[in-house]
Amino acid sequence: MEYEKYWSIADLGTNSLKSYEVCLCIAILFILFFILTKKFKKSNQDYERTIILWSTGLIGIGAFLGFVYLRFYTIDTTEERIQKTLNSEYVAVVEGTITNFESVRPISRRGIVTQESFVVDSVDFSYSDEVLGRFNRFSKTNNGVFRNGLPVRITYGKERHEILMVEIKK
């Protein structure tokens, strides 16, 4: 059977946002604050303008140096680590159709939380969109993609049945 990847741990937001990009944004923001402070803040006797200029300038330069270091002097091994995880001995693959699909929406302190569970070839899976779940696309639950009878191939961690990749039959 031929499958198409629906979701993978490589698709998480934590893998798409690079640390050097964060440093660059911080550097640009603080250098912009420095320029605006220099241009619009009037000098007074309590050295407030000088303190603001020094602090924004130092943070901006530090963030820029962090960007240079992270971008040009470190090696990003994210993809290799993900592939190593997907190919490790603690990972299993199950193929079959989804059965016993259930979607529940209980109300918790954090609002309405969707919990979904299903079985593929006698392996139980469950997940919810609680806490950071809404940060990635997989846990955008109750989206109508998963249903009883859907042929899937799921790569999962053997111990806790954590879903690492979902592929759907074309």
Side-chain angles (χ1 to χ4, degrees):
M1 282 191 230
E2 192 172 329
Y3 290 91
E4 180 179 359
K5 182 173 77 167
Y6 172 68
W7 181 87
S8 170
I9 58 172
D11 299 336
L12 292 175
T14 54
N15 296 329
S16 63
L17 183 64
K18 306 294 182 203
S19 55
Y20 64 84
E21 293 171 345
V22 174
C23 283
L24 181 62
C25 290
I26 292 171
I28 290 170
L29 185 68
F30 274 90
I31 291 171
L32 181 64
F33 285 158
F34 178 85
I35 292 169
L36 291 174
T37 302
K38 184 106 172 129
K39 185 169 184 163
F40 294 114
K41 179 82 173 147
K42 291 191 168 60
S43 186
N44 55 17
Q45 289 184 329
D46 62 358
Y47 301 105
E48 180 183 16
R49 179 177 185 238
T50 306
I51 293 169
I52 292 172
L53 286 174
W54 273 99
S55 59
T56 57
L58 287 174
I59 293 171
I61 290 170
F64 182 74
L65 292 174
F67 162 74
V68 170
Y69 174 74
L70 291 171
R71 179 69 177 105
F72 301 110
Y73 295 104
T74 60
I75 299 169
D76 184 15
T77 61
T78 305
E79 190 59 37
E80 292 84 16
R81 286 184 290 131
I82 290 171
Q83 292 309 315
K84 184 178 178 183
T85 301
L86 290 174
N87 297 321
S88 78
E89 63 188 58
Y90 303 107
V91 172
V93 177
V94 64
E95 286 187 47
T97 58
I98 292 178
T99 58
N100 298 334
F101 179 78
E102 187 177 319
S103 182
V104 180
R105 299 188 77 189
I107 298 175
S108 73
R109 283 188 315 194
R110 296 182 189 107
I112 298 175
V113 176
T114 304
Q115 298 173 339
E116 293 183 348
S117 62
F118 57 88
V119 177
V120 177
D121 195 28
S122 74
V123 180
D124 296 317
F125 296 100
S126 65
Y127 53 89
S128 72
D129 63 359
E130 196 169 23
V131 188
L132 294 177
R134 293 182 181 101
F135 190 60
N136 62 48
R137 297 196 183 259
F138 176 68
S139 68
K140 196 173 191 181
T141 51
N142 211 8
N143 58 12
V145 173
F146 294 148
R147 62 189 182 287
N148 285 320
L150 180 69
V152 294
R153 177 170 53 202
I154 297 180
T155 305
Y156 65 97
K158 289 180 184 178
E159 288 183 21
R160 294 183 286 169
H161 293 189
E162 52 212 8
I163 299 173
L164 303 174
M165 184 166 52
V166 177
E167 298 170 291
I168 299 175
K169 183 180 175 186
K170 286 185 177 183

